[in-house]
Amino acid sequence: MYSVLAGALALLAILLAWPVPQALAGARWVTRAPRMAVCLWQTIGLAGGVSAIAALLLLGFAPLGRAWTLLNLAALVLAALLFSWLTGVLITSAVRIERDLRRQRAAVDLLTSPDVDGVLVLEHPEPVAYCVPGPHPRIVVTAGAIAALPPDELAALLAHERAHAQGRHELVIQPFVAWQTALPFLAPARWATAAVADLVELLADDAAAEATSRMAVARALARVGAQRSPAGGVRTASNSVLSRVQRMSAPLPDRTAGTVGTVAGAGPGAAAAELRAADRAGL
Amino acid sequence: MARLGELERAVMDVLWNTPEAVPATRIVEELPREHTPAITTILTVLDRLGAKGFVTRERAGRAYRYSATTSRAELIVATMLEALGTTTDRRSALVHFAGSVSAEEQSMLRAILNSGEAGD
């Protein structure tokens, strides 16, 4: 009985480790329901880890034959190792990220004085905006971004960053980064991190569109993307900025009719699919 | 707390504007008139800035002389590079507006802006 259950859990763990993330990474609907997609990724990650550990525990405590064998001991040791490895990496990753953030906060606090909206303006010509997350988040915008954008697009950009700050998106991404670090040989961990990182951008785009307009978000993205110094030599996973512009420019999907915007198809799915292709080429 | 932050900025501005290492008393003199804090406050601020790695000190006689570890421009560039995640390959917790953009992507973005496809 125990071994049947253990087998079922092991099967679940295997499904969640490869085929299920593969399907989600290739799914096209995710750009229309980014929140749902993020929840699914979180469920896959958590359930995958729990089922793998639970399968090993069951195998360890339930003798396959009559006697308790070396196999049982090996399963228990593996379960303990896997659990402590996953939690250990999660904690060290959180500590490292917090240290990076503390350095960022200290630097931006020294370099800028907050304006009325609590936005910090960094004197740099390159148009860049980012959010230093935390309980007291900082939204940093360069002088270059302010100079490059008309007021409505600047408002869209700031609304996007506020959405990151208020949604605590860094907490959504962090476990996936840790998961990827903990299991470097597991390609789906990489796809998951890439997909979730793109999905939170879509969430922030949607929030910014709500606060301003889809057009303002699209144009702000295109303008900032076009003026950034290109990532020379660095292989970018996808045309994620371009696909976000297209997603914001496309007409809103008609939910009642169930038809979907076709232009908006290239999103995190495309990013993950391309990463997958890169993995295959690398193998 | 906000006041301490302001003082830290003011002290750093003094250090960034003086090429040589200076004693704390000199920093007090150089500070803008509106806040002339006690020397002990400035020493506390200098300690905090030292702990964060922005200020170094060297002994000169009985007192210390302080200087900034990097120029203001260097710190801006370092902060930006770190924020953009170009210094390390690992993903930073910082989420920025438009991630890395390839050259082909940029030309397509320019085409969209010029054609007015994304608005107007």
Side-chain angles (χ1 to χ4, degrees), chain A residues 126 198 224-226 228-232 234-242 244, chain B residues 83-86 91 96-103 105-106 109:
Chain A
E126 177 138 0
D198 279 352
V224 170
R228 284 279 307 282
S229 41
V234 181
R235 195 190 167 286
T236 51
S238 66
N239 289 341
S240 65
V241 176
L242 183 62
R244 281 165 62 199
Chain B
L84 299 179
T86 49
R91 245 169 224 279
H96 46 89
F97 188 54
S100 47
V101 186
S102 65
E105 193 178 358
Q106 282 200 315
L109 288 173

Side-chain angles (χ1 to χ4, degrees), chain A residues 100 103 109 219 225 228 242, chain B residues 9 82 90 98 105-106 118:
Chain A
D100 288 355
R103 202 171 49 233
D109 285 352
R219 292 192 69 84
R228 284 279 307 282
L242 183 62
Chain B
R9 273 198 291 279
E82 195 181 72
R90 69 183 137 93
E105 193 178 358
Q106 282 200 315

Side-chain angles (χ1 to χ4, degrees), chain A residues 143-277:
Chain A
I146 292 176
L149 297 177
D152 60 326
E153 293 173 29
L154 187 60
L157 174 145
L158 292 177
H160 173 104
E161 296 305 327
R162 285 207 187 89
H164 280 317
Q166 282 160 12
R168 302 301 306 265
H169 289 167
E170 82 282 6
L171 299 180
V172 176
I173 297 176
Q174 196 260 332
F176 288 95
V177 176
W179 188 27
Q180 181 184 349
T181 315
L183 308 165
F185 48 85
L186 194 69
R190 231 171 12 257
W191 309 338
T193 311
V196 169
D198 279 352
L199 285 166
V200 297
E201 294 305 325
L202 303 191
L203 284 176
D205 283 348
D206 289 344
E210 197 122 313
T212 58
S213 71
R214 292 166 65 83
M215 220 45 96
V217 177
R219 292 192 69 84
L221 270 172
R223 229 184 279 278
V224 170
Q227 291 187 18
R228 284 279 307 282
S229 41
V234 181
R235 195 190 167 286
T236 51
S238 66
N239 289 341
S240 65
V241 176
L242 183 62
S243 60
R244 281 165 62 199
V245 172
Q246 286 166 341
R247 177 171 174 268
M248 279 288 129
S249 318
L252 270 175
D254 183 356
R255 279 162 218 272
T256 49
T259 54
V260 293
T262 46
V263 201
E274 200 167 317
L275 270 175
R276 267 204 326 270

Side-chain angles (χ1 to χ4, degrees), chain A:
Chain A
M1 178 56 205
Y2 267 127
S3 40
V4 173
L5 197 54
L9 277 171
L11 184 68
L12 180 65
I14 289 165
L15 286 176
L16 290 173
W18 206 289
V20 175
Q22 188 169 34
L24 186 55
R28 294 226 148 189
W29 59 265
V30 292
T31 56
R32 296 186 308 275
R35 198 172 296 277
M36 162 82 85
V38 167
C39 285
L40 275 177
W41 279 116
Q42 289 174 322
T43 309
I44 290 170
L46 191 63
V50 168
S51 59
I53 291 166
L56 288 169
L57 280 179
L58 279 177
L59 193 63
F61 283 124
L64 289 175
R66 288 282 123 196
W68 210 72
T69 63
L70 213 55
L71 182 72
N72 299 110
L73 183 65
L76 286 181
V77 169
L78 264 180
L81 281 179
L82 187 59
F83 179 75
S84 42
W85 176 244
L86 289 179
T87 47
V89 170
L90 188 67
I91 292 166
T92 49
S93 152
V95 168
R96 203 186 50 198
I97 286 174
E98 185 47 44
R99 202 184 47 213
D100 288 355
L101 288 178
R102 205 180 307 131
R103 202 171 49 233
Q104 267 288 329
R105 265 179 228 125
V108 294
D109 285 352
L110 267 196
L111 290 167
T112 62
S113 20
D115 73 359
V116 275
D117 298 331
V119 174
L120 305 176
V121 181
L122 208 54
E123 295 145 42
H124 198 275
E126 177 138 0
V128 171
Y130 60 94
C131 161
V132 188
H136 301 287
R138 274 84 160 159
I139 289 164
V140 183
V141 183
T142 57
I146 292 176
L149 297 177
D152 60 326
E153 293 173 29
L154 187 60
L157 174 145
L158 292 177
H160 173 104
E161 296 305 327
R162 285 207 187 89
H164 280 317
Q166 282 160 12
R168 302 301 306 265
H169 289 167
E170 82 282 6
L171 299 180
V172 176
I173 297 176
Q174 196 260 332
F176 288 95
V177 176
W179 188 27
Q180 181 184 349
T181 315
L183 308 165
F185 48 85
L186 194 69
R190 231 171 12 257
W191 309 338
T193 311
V196 169
D198 279 352
L199 285 166
V200 297
E201 294 305 325
L202 303 191
L203 284 176
D205 283 348
D206 289 344
E210 197 122 313
T212 58
S213 71
R214 292 166 65 83
M215 220 45 96
V217 177
R219 292 192 69 84
L221 270 172
R223 229 184 279 278
V224 170
Q227 291 187 18
R228 284 279 307 282
S229 41
V234 181
R235 195 190 167 286
T236 51
S238 66
N239 289 341
S240 65
V241 176
L242 183 62
S243 60
R244 281 165 62 199
V245 172
Q246 286 166 341
R247 177 171 174 268
M248 279 288 129
S249 318
L252 270 175
D254 183 356
R255 279 162 218 272
T256 49
T259 54
V260 293
T262 46
V263 201
E274 200 167 317
L275 270 175
R276 267 204 326 270
D279 282 342
R280 273 196 222 103
L283 280 175

